[in-house]
Amino acid sequence: AADPVMQKCFSGQTPGILIAGAPASGKTTILRDLARQLASARGGYRKVCIIDESGEIGGAASGTPVNDLGISSDVLFGYPKGKGLQIALRYLSPQVMICDEIFAKEEIQAVKAAANSGIAVITSIHAGSRKELLRKPQLQPLLQAGAFSYFVFLEGAARPARISGIERTEK
């Protein structure tokens, strides 16, 4: 599912990526596949930390991920995203942090702190279009902090995990 993102966005450095899509458009599926590819031989074994508040990315069963998230990944289950991002930043020395659905003020602050520490953050946000994404109040502080190099747009619930576009954030 994430092959187009890997091909377009990962030619050298590991960039911050914001995946935008309507509910049920496949955002979590793309995040899960990016985690797997980045933390495996295909992705060059980056050290990935997944903050999986609800257990949806890892498919948690009794606190253990069931989904393949790559050999060099750490998973924090059950932590609120903001707190989990802070813990990962302080103690796990990730190259990439992945979480789903950023929204709250504490999450925004934690993503900014990661970006300012040189850690790539890959996350998602509910936005059915580029126009809707740009209206999100939490986006501006993240762009000002340089947290994301790419926006990935998904087609929608009728075609889950289908990418309709990938854009550099400077556009």
Side-chain angles (χ1 to χ4, degrees), residues 7-37:
Q7 291 165 2
K8 177 139 185 173
C9 303
F10 291 93
S11 60
Q13 293 184 340
T14 304
I17 298 172
L18 182 62
I19 300 167
S25 62
K27 296 180 296 294
T28 305
T29 301
I30 299 290
L31 288 171
R32 186 180 302 119
D33 196 38
L34 280 170
R36 178 186 62 79
Q37 290 193 44

Side-chain angles (χ1 to χ4, degrees), residues 9 11 30 46-47 49 57 65 72 77 97 112 130:
C9 303
S11 60
I30 299 290
R46 289 171 180 88
K47 189 170 180 188
C49 186
I57 297 172
S72 61
F77 283 115
M97 293 194 301
K112 286 172 55 178
R130 185 177 202 285

